[in-house]
Amino acid sequence: MANVSPIDVQKALHGVDYPASKAALLEAADGNGASKEVKDALGGIAEREYEGPTGVSAEIFD
């Protein structure tokens, strides 16, 4: 995901109440006006509950 930074992802997930499902993260990103690249990155993460933003970033960037 060369076009996506961790900061972009965290901005897209502003206001999310954790733990959150992949669907909730995508919905938040959409509501926060995230770019297509950020939504694509979130679309590629595993279908599970995420405990916080660190876990989401780890799933995308590690």
Side-chain angles (χ1 to χ4, degrees):
M1 292 291 145
N3 296 332
V4 177
S5 77
I7 293 169
D8 293 332
V9 172
Q10 296 312 313
K11 285 181 183 175
L13 300 180
H14 177 75
V16 170
D17 288 326
Y18 291 94
S21 65
K22 176 180 174 178
L25 297 174
L26 286 166
E27 189 175 313
D30 203 40
N32 286 326
S35 68
K36 180 185 182 316
E37 291 82 5
V38 169
K39 289 190 271 190
D40 287 349
L42 289 169
I45 65 175
E47 196 71 57
R48 66 177 180 87
E49 291 282 308
Y50 290 87
E51 296 300 318
T54 304
V56 177
S57 287
E59 188 80 19
I60 293 172
F61 298 105
D62 290 349

